[in-house]
């Protein structure tokens, strides 16, 4: 089925009865298709084709010859013509696309370096733009109000040609104020979380951004502060690089912390104190249920709650720890812990986990960080030389907590249980080296049917038995 084609022709506006006196014949005003679609523009519409959801309009410029953008002289000769596609505002449920026949003119001025230039329809086209001026203003309004991805979703619903990058291109950087800010705010932000970070500088008094730096290094921030002196108060983040930059470039400025970081420091300190004294803060659940402590919902805590209930239900029936472990596929020691500890202790232990393999090296990491070594990779390489077997991400995560001031100190080493006075069940005793402690007995081979011993083997066996008997009761055999 062929697409419907509307030829360029004039159409008649229906009479407006409100403006026509009774008894007089209605006045009919004739308007062209150009006046309806492109009012006030020098365009000639040749045809309009509706294809699916697109409304394709073939048009050509009919205005006077353009002026050279370099010498501002009007053109007198046409060089050539070419087609240009311009996206416009939607018409009803159709997306409008203008196929514009553009003229290219000669510039006959000998002093001008430009030889040819393209025609621009004022109010519709702009140099190197694929959308109309009206569509560009609409996209800018959407980008200002919503930003990139939300604006893209709204443009898709409104049938506008607005992708995320195209919307963000409409936003222009704010002008840097002539005077330097008296109260400067410095904070970091992520271009790509965990990989690339930058620094934003804000004028606190006017609440307007001043500049954006490509990284958060001390040298970059110090160079900017040296080029823009006059800061009296600096409201900074807790990053150590900002402190060094301010001390180098603006030593007379007063350093303060913003309200958000103060509240975060307070909440972190209160949380540490509460965790350290959770036994004192715990209230009996049966005598005062109104003071019961609320526990946040998470998959880990839900799993602990479910296992605690299952273990205690099975233990109430008289099942042994081994039987419960086989039933729930848990280790016997794990079953004992769920049976002997209450639910609040299990929750507190789950929320206050240590750093695992990093615990023996936390003191060294804190000492190196205070000494000025703030590189996570450098600290990680030093720990590898000390025998650290963990990954880099564990070290980097803990260094970030030190940098933010929320690092948790190392756990106290749990003393190993005293050895049994009757010796150890291990074949080499409790004082064996670690390589021997990790010894595991070899699997016992399948039994074979006994074969009759030869006379030579029987004599050797009798000799070994006699030697063992004569060795004394106090001697030990090595297996």
């Amino acid at each position: 089925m062929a697409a419907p084609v509307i030829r360029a022709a004039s159409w008649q506006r229906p009479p407006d009865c409100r403006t026509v006196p009774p008894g007089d014949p209605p006045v009919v005003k004739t308007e062209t298709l150009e006046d309806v679609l492109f009012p006030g523009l020098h365009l000639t519409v040749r045809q309009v084709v509706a294809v699916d959801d697109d409304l394709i309009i073939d048009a050509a410029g009919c205005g006077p010859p353009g002026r050279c953008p370099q010498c501002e002289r009007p053109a007198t000769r046409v060089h050539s013509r070419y087609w240009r596609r311009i996206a416009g505002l939607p018409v009803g449920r159709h997306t409008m696309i203008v196929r514009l026949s553009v003229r290219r003119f000669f510039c006959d001025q000998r002093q001008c370096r430009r030889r040819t230039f393209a025609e621009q329809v004022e109010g519709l086209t702009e140099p190197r733009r694929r959308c109309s001026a009206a569509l560009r203003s609409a996209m800018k309004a959407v980008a200002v109000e919503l930003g990139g991805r939300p604006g893209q979703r709204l443009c898709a619903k409104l049938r506008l040609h607005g992708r995320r990058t195209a919307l963000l291109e409409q936003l222009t950087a704010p002008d840097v104020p002539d005077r330097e800010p008296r109260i400067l705010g410095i904070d970091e932000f992520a271009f790509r979380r965990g990989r690339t970070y930058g620094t934003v500088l804000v004028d606190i008094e006017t609440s307007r951004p001043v500049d954006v730096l490509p990284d958060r290094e001390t040298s970059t921030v110090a160079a900017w502060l040296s080029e823009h002196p006059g800061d009296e108060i600096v409201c900074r983040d807790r990053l150590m690089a900002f402190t060094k930059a301010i001390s180098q470039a603006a030593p007379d400025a007063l350093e303060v912390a913003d309200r958000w970081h103060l509240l975060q420091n307070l909440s972190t300190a209160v949380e540490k104190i509460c965790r350290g004294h959770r036994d004192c803060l715990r209230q009996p659940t049966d005598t005062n249920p109104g003071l019961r402590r609320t526990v946040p919902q998470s998959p880990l805590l839900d799993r602990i709650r479910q296992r605690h209930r299952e273990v205690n239900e099975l233990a109430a029936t008289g099942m042994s720890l081994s039987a419960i472990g086989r039933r729930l596929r848990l280790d016997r020691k794990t079953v004992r812990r769920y049976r002997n500890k209450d639910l609040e202790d299990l929750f507190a232990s789950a929320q206050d986990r240590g750093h695992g393999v990093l615990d023996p090296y936390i003191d060294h990491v804190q000492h190196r960080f205070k000494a000025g070594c703030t590189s996570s990779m450098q600290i990680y390489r030093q720990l590898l030389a000390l025998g650290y077997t963990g990954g880099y991400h564990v070290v980097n995560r803990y260094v970030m907590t030190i940098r933010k001031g929320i690092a948790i100190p190392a756990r106290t080493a749990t003393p190993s249980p005293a050895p049994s006075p009757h010796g150890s069940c291990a074949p080499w005793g409790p004082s064996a080296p670690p390589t021997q402690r990790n010894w595991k007995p070899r699997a016992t081979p399948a039994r074979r049917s006994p074969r009759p011993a030869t006379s030579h083997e029987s004599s050797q066996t009798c000799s070994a038995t006699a030697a063992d008997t004569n060795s004394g009761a106090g001697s030990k055999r090595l297996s």
Side-chain angles (χ1 to χ4, degrees):
M1 182 176 179
V5 179
I6 304 175
R7 297 294 180 181
S10 61
W11 69 293
Q12 293 182 352
R13 178 190 294 272
D16 192 352
C17 299
R18 294 174 299 179
T19 59
V20 178
D24 295 342
V27 178
V28 179
K29 183 179 179 181
T30 303
E31 292 185 353
T32 61
L33 196 59
E34 292 83 353
D35 297 333
V36 177
L37 297 177
F38 310 102
L41 302 183
H42 298 285
L43 280 180
T44 300
V45 177
R46 298 175 179 176
Q47 67 176 7
V48 180
V49 182
V51 180
D52 296 333
D53 294 336
D54 295 335
L55 190 66
I56 303 176
I57 301 175
D58 289 348
C62 59
R67 293 178 175 271
C68 176
Q70 189 168 355
C71 64
E72 298 294 334
R73 296 293 182 90
T76 57
R77 295 187 301 158
V78 177
H79 176 273
S80 59
R81 299 176 185 269
Y82 68 96
W83 289 99
R84 183 178 177 183
R85 295 174 66 90
I86 305 295
L89 291 174
V91 178
R93 62 181 183 88
H94 295 282
T95 301
M96 184 171 64
I97 301 176
V98 181
R99 293 180 68 248
L100 184 63
S101 178
V102 181
R103 295 174 291 180
R104 180 175 291 276
F105 297 101
F106 281 105
C107 182
D108 296 328
Q109 298 296 324
R110 296 182 178 180
Q111 297 81 7
C112 184
R113 294 183 178 181
R114 185 181 291 270
R115 290 291 176 260
T116 62
F117 61 92
E119 175 187 16
Q120 302 294 337
V121 179
E122 185 178 358
L124 178 65
T125 63
E126 295 176 349
R128 299 180 181 86
R129 295 283 183 182
R130 296 186 178 183
C131 60
S132 63
L135 178 59
R136 184 164 175 261
S137 61
M139 291 170 56
K140 184 176 181 179
V142 172
V144 169
E145 297 296 334
L146 298 180
R149 298 187 187 278
Q152 179 180 351
R153 292 192 292 268
L154 180 60
C155 289
K157 296 180 180 180
L158 298 179
R159 298 183 180 275
L160 299 178
H161 292 272
R163 296 187 177 274
R164 178 178 63 89
T165 55
L167 291 174
L168 296 180
E169 288 178 356
Q170 308 300 326
L171 302 177
T172 57
D175 298 332
V176 179
D178 298 335
R179 66 174 184 86
E180 302 301 332
R182 190 177 66 89
I183 304 177
L184 180 65
I186 302 179
D187 201 352
E188 61 178 348
F189 69 97
F191 290 108
R192 186 178 181 186
R193 184 177 296 276
R195 295 180 178 270
T196 308
Y197 288 86
T199 304
V200 59
L201 306 171
V202 182
D203 188 352
I204 302 298
E205 294 180 327
T206 61
S207 299
R208 297 190 61 182
V210 177
D211 203 350
V212 176
L213 304 182
D215 53 42
R216 54 180 181 180
E217 300 297 330
T218 302
S219 58
T220 305
V221 180
W224 191 94
L225 293 176
S226 301
E227 295 175 359
H228 303 80
D231 302 322
E232 300 179 6
I233 302 175
V234 179
C235 181
R236 63 172 179 82
D237 190 7
R238 294 179 299 181
L239 192 63
M240 191 67 65
F242 296 158
T243 305
K244 296 180 180 179
I246 295 172
S247 61
Q248 294 176 8
D252 298 333
L254 177 62
E255 301 182 34
V256 299
D258 56 10
R259 186 184 308 170
W260 186 88
H261 286 99
L262 290 177
L263 294 177
Q264 187 188 30
N265 292 344
L266 177 61
S267 62
T268 304
V270 172
E271 184 179 0
K272 290 181 181 179
I273 295 176
C274 292
R275 286 185 178 181
H277 300 80
R278 58 175 177 266
D279 295 333
C280 305
L281 299 176
R282 186 178 302 132
Q283 300 292 336
T285 57
D286 52 350
T287 59
N288 195 354
L291 296 178
R292 186 176 302 172
R293 187 170 52 182
T294 59
V295 180
Q297 297 293 332
S298 69
L300 175 61
L301 300 183
D302 293 342
R303 185 169 63 253
I304 293 175
R305 188 181 294 107
Q306 180 182 359
R307 287 182 176 177
H308 182 269
R309 183 180 65 255
E310 293 175 351
V311 168
N312 285 272
E313 288 177 355
L314 295 177
T317 60
M319 295 180 62
S320 63
L321 297 179
S322 300
I324 296 175
R326 289 191 299 268
R327 179 77 172 272
L328 300 179
R329 296 182 180 180
L330 297 176
D331 188 77
R332 189 172 183 272
K333 294 180 291 185
T334 304
V335 175
R336 182 189 295 114
R337 182 165 58 90
Y338 275 99
R339 187 195 63 178
N340 297 338
K341 287 190 176 183
D342 58 355
L343 198 56
E344 292 189 1
D345 284 336
L346 295 174
F347 285 157
S349 300
Q351 294 175 350
D352 192 18
R353 292 184 172 182
H355 303 85
V357 294
L358 189 61
D359 282 341
Y361 307 95
I362 284 181
D363 293 337
H364 178 79
V365 173
Q366 294 179 350
H367 174 72
R368 294 298 302 157
F369 191 89
K370 292 179 181 179
C373 180
T374 59
S375 173
S376 302
M377 181 57 67
Q378 187 174 356
I379 296 177
Y380 170 68
R381 292 171 179 172
Q382 296 175 0
L383 294 182
L384 290 179
L386 297 177
Y388 174 67
T389 59
Y392 165 74
H393 66 282
V394 180
V395 180
N396 184 44
R397 184 166 61 245
Y398 187 73
V399 171
M400 291 297 294
T401 59
I402 299 178
R403 187 177 289 116
K404 294 180 180 179
I406 58 175
I408 301 176
R411 284 186 170 185
T412 305
T414 305
S416 57
S420 173
H422 302 290
S424 174
C425 297
W428 289 279
S431 60
T435 56
Q436 296 179 356
R437 289 181 186 176
N438 297 333
W439 174 85
K440 295 182 180 180
R442 298 171 61 182
T444 303
R447 291 187 176 182
R448 298 180 180 178
S449 59
R451 60 181 178 86
T454 61
S455 59
H456 179 68
E457 293 175 347
S458 300
S459 61
Q460 288 182 350
T461 304
C462 295
S463 301
T465 305
D468 295 339
T469 306
N470 297 329
S471 62
S475 61
K476 295 183 180 180
R477 292 181 58 189
L478 294 178
S479 57

